[in-house]
Amino acid sequence: MNDHIKQLIQTSTYRGLSSHEEKVILEYLKSIPEVATYEITKSMVEQKSLVTIVIAKKVLYTKDYVTRLFKYGVLKANAQSIKLWLEFAIPKLGFKSVVKLIEDLNDDSNRLIEKAVYWLPMLISENEKRSWNLLEKLREKVNCSQI
């Protein structure tokens, strides 16, 4: 990775990037193998880059890398940014897979199910009955854990 790309990524930790700057990073990431792209986007999560998810949506395609980045990112996310991680993962992995990942990653310290249940209704269209049923099951888990 050249110094210009490193500098742009560093810059993205304290301000948004212009469309040209973002395009430079995207072109670079698309020119390298996906495993290297995954590693760079993972380091962007660690550095709290403001453009990580925007970029990851455009450069990660393999379910394995999408899953790994989602797991890594959602566990580092705050309640607000979980919505962005859900928007990243659902189109690439499917609603059912994302719900399963949330259930697997949830524990008392991160209360991931509670946070996800807040945002998920905004990400499901009215006619997706299966997704609504899965959401209802998640809500029941939240209610059971609060008793």
Side-chain angles (χ1 to χ4, degrees):
M1 179 169 26
N2 69 38
D3 290 338
H4 182 61
I5 301 294
K6 286 180 186 174
Q7 182 59 45
L8 287 175
I9 291 171
Q10 183 61 38
T11 299
S12 75
T13 61
Y14 58 86
R15 72 165 173 85
L17 298 178
S18 71
S19 59
H20 173 72
E21 291 170 326
E22 210 173 280
K23 186 177 177 184
V24 169
I25 294 173
L26 283 171
E27 286 175 358
Y28 171 73
L29 293 176
K30 287 179 179 180
S31 73
I32 61 176
E34 193 172 10
V35 63
T37 299
Y38 163 76
E39 291 298 332
I40 291 169
T41 53
K42 183 179 171 195
S43 77
M44 290 171 73
V45 172
E46 291 169 6
Q47 296 174 45
K48 297 184 181 351
S49 166
L50 302 174
V51 296
T52 303
I53 297 172
V54 171
I55 292 205
K57 281 182 181 180
K58 297 176 182 177
V59 296
L60 292 179
Y61 305 103
T62 309
K63 285 190 178 209
D64 180 51
Y65 292 122
V66 171
T67 300
R68 288 164 60 182
L69 189 67
F70 174 74
K71 285 179 172 180
Y72 188 76
V74 81
L75 289 174
K76 295 195 172 293
N78 60 35
Q80 186 78 28
S81 63
I82 284 179
K83 179 185 181 204
L84 300 173
W85 285 104
L86 294 169
E87 290 172 335
F88 162 70
I90 290 171
K92 293 182 174 283
L93 301 174
F95 191 84
K96 183 178 179 180
S97 295
V98 171
V99 167
K100 175 76 172 110
L101 288 169
I102 290 167
E103 289 175 321
D104 292 347
L105 296 170
N106 183 66
D107 63 30
D108 290 339
S109 68
N110 64 30
R111 298 174 35 220
L112 196 53
I113 291 177
E114 276 181 58
K115 296 171 188 172
V117 163
Y118 178 81
W119 294 111
L120 286 170
M122 297 171 215
L123 305 174
I124 309 171
S125 69
E126 288 184 34
N127 60 351
E128 293 180 46
K129 298 291 183 219
R130 283 185 177 160
S131 298
W132 284 105
N133 290 340
L134 286 170
L135 177 58
E136 195 51 43
K137 288 179 184 174
L138 269 185
R139 284 183 175 143
E140 289 170 11
K141 287 185 180 190
V142 170
N143 292 338
C144 288
S145 70
Q146 291 177 347
I147 296 175

